[in-house]
Amino acid sequence: MALSLFGNGRRSNVFDPFSLDIWDPFEGFSTLANIPSSARETTAIANTRIDWKETPEAHIFKADLPGVKKEEVKVEVEDGRVLQISGERSREQEDKNDKWHRVERSSGKFIRRFRLPENAKVDQVKAAMENGVLTVTVPKEEEKKPEVKAIDISG
């Protein structure tokens, strides 16, 4: 066993990737310790990655939600023009005999809100979930082209 270069003097086997200690620059900060675990879980996936693109026909939102069932996700439009995507990723059941080497996947509640532009048809929003990706499509109103009226010139 070799002494880890980082951390607080804990021993680590350099050849075992599961036992290697990684230096945490925020270790020991009391402000992080005071945050309740439920809040840490919520903030862990509050940054659920969502792409928003606009096409000539619609606004399209894509959210990566691996391991989340469609029954665990809510898509709502509130206050007229605010798209809200929320849900909860359940924590994996733990067995007392399990030995965890690393836990990186987050669990808990998530919520994302987007103010939709005036041209969004909020009454025609559609959502679909496929392979862990939620796709929300918000159709757009057709852009009204200004009516041009030709004026005859007399004379």
Side-chain angles (χ1 to χ4, degrees):
M1 298 270 278
L3 183 62
S4 173
L5 298 176
F6 303 109
N8 52 8
R10 294 177 289 204
R11 291 194 170 270
S12 169
N13 181 345
V14 226
F15 302 108
D16 181 1
F18 296 115
S19 70
L20 185 62
D21 288 333
I22 304 297
W23 176 63
D24 180 2
F26 301 106
E27 186 176 0
F29 276 40
S30 61
T31 55
L32 293 176
N34 293 335
I35 298 174
S37 63
S38 60
R40 284 193 298 267
E41 288 174 5
T42 301
T43 56
I45 59 175
N47 292 327
T48 298
R49 305 290 186 216
I50 297 181
D51 296 336
W52 175 3
K53 74 175 177 180
E54 182 176 354
T55 68
E57 299 81 30
H59 295 276
I60 300 172
F61 298 83
K62 290 193 177 231
D64 289 339
L65 300 171
V68 179
K69 298 179 186 105
K70 70 178 187 177
E71 297 81 24
E72 298 172 323
V73 178
K74 283 179 23 179
V75 178
E76 303 168 304
V77 177
E78 60 179 31
D79 297 332
R81 298 223 170 272
V82 178
L83 175 68
Q84 178 173 295
I85 300 171
S86 62
E88 184 168 3
R89 181 176 290 127
S90 303
R91 182 183 297 263
E92 189 171 324
Q93 294 297 322
E94 295 184 25
D95 187 334
K96 293 180 183 178
N97 297 326
D98 291 345
K99 178 180 176 185
W100 291 86
H101 292 280
R102 184 172 304 271
V103 177
E104 293 182 345
R105 296 182 309 144
S106 51
S107 62
K109 296 181 180 181
F110 63 89
I111 184 168
R112 294 294 305 272
R113 298 168 55 114
F114 302 91
R115 181 163 307 282
L116 297 170
E118 292 293 321
N119 67 352
K121 292 183 179 179
V122 294
D123 57 333
Q124 297 179 18
V125 176
K126 292 189 178 5
M129 181 86 100
E130 186 175 339
N131 296 328
V133 177
L134 173 70
T135 302
V136 179
T137 305
V138 183
K140 291 171 34 179
E141 294 176 3
E142 288 185 28
E143 199 172 303
K144 295 179 183 173
K145 296 179 180 173
E147 188 175 313
V148 178
K149 183 178 178 184
I151 308 294
D152 292 330
I153 301 173
S154 61

